[in-house]
Amino acid sequence: MHGLHESFSYRKGSTNVRTTAAEAFRAGGGVCQDYAHILIALYRRDGIPTRYVSGLMLGEGASHAWTEVYVDGRWRGLDATNDRVATDDYIRIAQGRDYQDCPVERGVLKGDASQAQHVHVKVEEK
């Protein structure tokens, strides 16, 4: 994870949901979903079960993606974008094999249409 974080650059708007891990890796930069997809490819290459997670980080104000690896009998969250272990500050919305399993939004617009997404999350300890 640290090696990817050091060698890859965060570049907002440089990729999209159709960008593959290989394309982003060759470009040397991308967004959080690219970091996640590349890390997934690297871990799976080495036979380590890995999954994609989408959600939110407290205080960020935008959706975020990270990975989880299955090690020592449990799933551990890794955020290569921020070079850190995912903690309780990460709020999971969906998990799957990759982005296609858990997009933040999905649908079809026909004709003259537009959309906007506004997400408000309240976290309480019970």
Side-chain angles (χ1 to χ4, degrees), residues 6-34:
E6 290 295 309
S7 63
F8 200 70
S9 299
Y10 187 88
R11 297 184 196 146
K12 185 175 181 177
S14 64
T15 60
N16 62 56
V17 296
R18 291 181 183 82
T19 304
T20 67
E23 290 167 340
F25 186 77
R26 280 192 300 274
V31 295
C32 58
Q33 72 186 23
D34 301 308

Side-chain angles (χ1 to χ4, degrees), residues 5-108:
H5 178 79
E6 290 295 309
S7 63
F8 200 70
S9 299
Y10 187 88
R11 297 184 196 146
K12 185 175 181 177
S14 64
T15 60
N16 62 56
V17 296
R18 291 181 183 82
T19 304
T20 67
E23 290 167 340
F25 186 77
R26 280 192 300 274
V31 295
C32 58
Q33 72 186 23
D34 301 308
Y35 281 86
H37 281 142
I38 293 168
L39 197 59
I40 286 169
L42 293 171
Y43 279 119
R44 287 181 182 165
R45 176 196 66 189
D46 293 340
I48 299 170
T50 311
R51 62 188 179 194
Y52 181 96
V53 183
S54 65
L56 303 165
M57 279 180 63
L58 292 180
E60 290 296 311
S63 62
H64 189 55
W66 62 95
T67 61
E68 288 183 337
V69 295
Y70 193 75
V71 180
D72 297 329
R74 63 177 258 216
W75 289 99
R76 299 172 189 261
L78 300 173
D79 179 1
T81 308
N82 294 297
D83 198 22
R84 61 181 275 199
V85 172
T87 64
D88 289 341
D89 292 342
Y90 290 72
I91 300 168
R92 172 196 328 264
I93 294 175
Q95 67 192 36
R97 295 166 293 182
D98 57 28
Y99 172 83
Q100 296 303 320
D101 283 349
C102 44
V104 175
E105 55 189 45
R106 179 182 290 167
V108 176

